[in-house]
Amino acid sequence: MKIRYYLGVAFLLLQVISIVYSQFIPERFFCWAPYDEHTYIDISVEIDGKQLTKKEVKDRYRYKSEGWEPRSIANVFDIISQYESTYGKTDNATVEVNYSTNGHKERIWNLKK
């Protein structure tokens, strides 16, 4: 009976530690606490001097090219970085993400090869 008790306590303690830890990392996808940031994004991609249309950008990343991101902006950066380091690594793409979180000043994230 004591083993079950200690396993239960250890399990709950691990959950609490995970929740606290998740509050301090940018990728808070599976956090139990609500994520209270909303970011407006606008992604533009240029390949060999040709600017892709919004539809082409959406098809490229299988993700919206502009609009609201209700999760961490790191999620968008991860999607783009993963694609560009695998499928698009020979495309010579320059990616720019203009984004504004919670109405604050617009920022720019770049990925250039």
Side-chain angles (χ1 to χ4, degrees):
M1 192 68 165
K2 273 190 163 188
I3 287 215
R4 287 186 192 172
Y5 173 77
Y6 288 122
L7 284 174
V9 169
F11 177 74
L12 291 175
L13 186 60
L14 183 61
Q15 295 295 310
V16 169
I17 290 170
S18 296
I19 292 168
V20 170
Y21 172 72
S22 69
Q23 295 300 310
F24 298 101
I25 60 172
E27 301 87 0
R28 297 194 279 176
F29 309 128
F30 303 109
C31 182
W32 285 5
Y35 193 75
D36 60 355
E37 289 184 359
H38 290 84
T39 304
Y40 186 80
I41 60 168
D42 185 8
I43 304 170
S44 58
V45 180
E46 184 179 295
I47 299 177
D48 294 326
K50 179 191 178 274
Q51 190 73 31
L52 299 185
T53 66
K54 293 296 180 190
K55 182 176 180 347
E56 290 171 327
V57 172
K58 182 179 179 183
D59 293 343
R60 182 178 182 85
Y61 300 121
R62 294 186 176 151
Y63 193 78
K64 59 189 161 199
S65 59
E66 67 179 321
W68 290 98
E69 170 58 48
R71 296 169 290 183
S72 172
I73 188 65
N75 181 48
V76 177
F77 300 156
D78 289 346
I79 290 169
I80 294 169
S81 297
Q82 186 276 331
Y83 183 90
E84 295 301 336
S85 65
T86 56
Y87 302 110
K89 66 182 173 185
T90 61
D91 291 347
N92 195 29
T94 301
V95 182
E96 182 176 287
V97 179
N98 294 303
Y99 66 99
S100 173
T101 302
N102 291 340
H104 292 281
K105 182 179 174 187
E106 185 174 277
R107 299 176 72 188
I108 299 172
W109 179 83
N110 292 299
L111 181 67
K112 190 173 185 177
K113 293 189 177 182

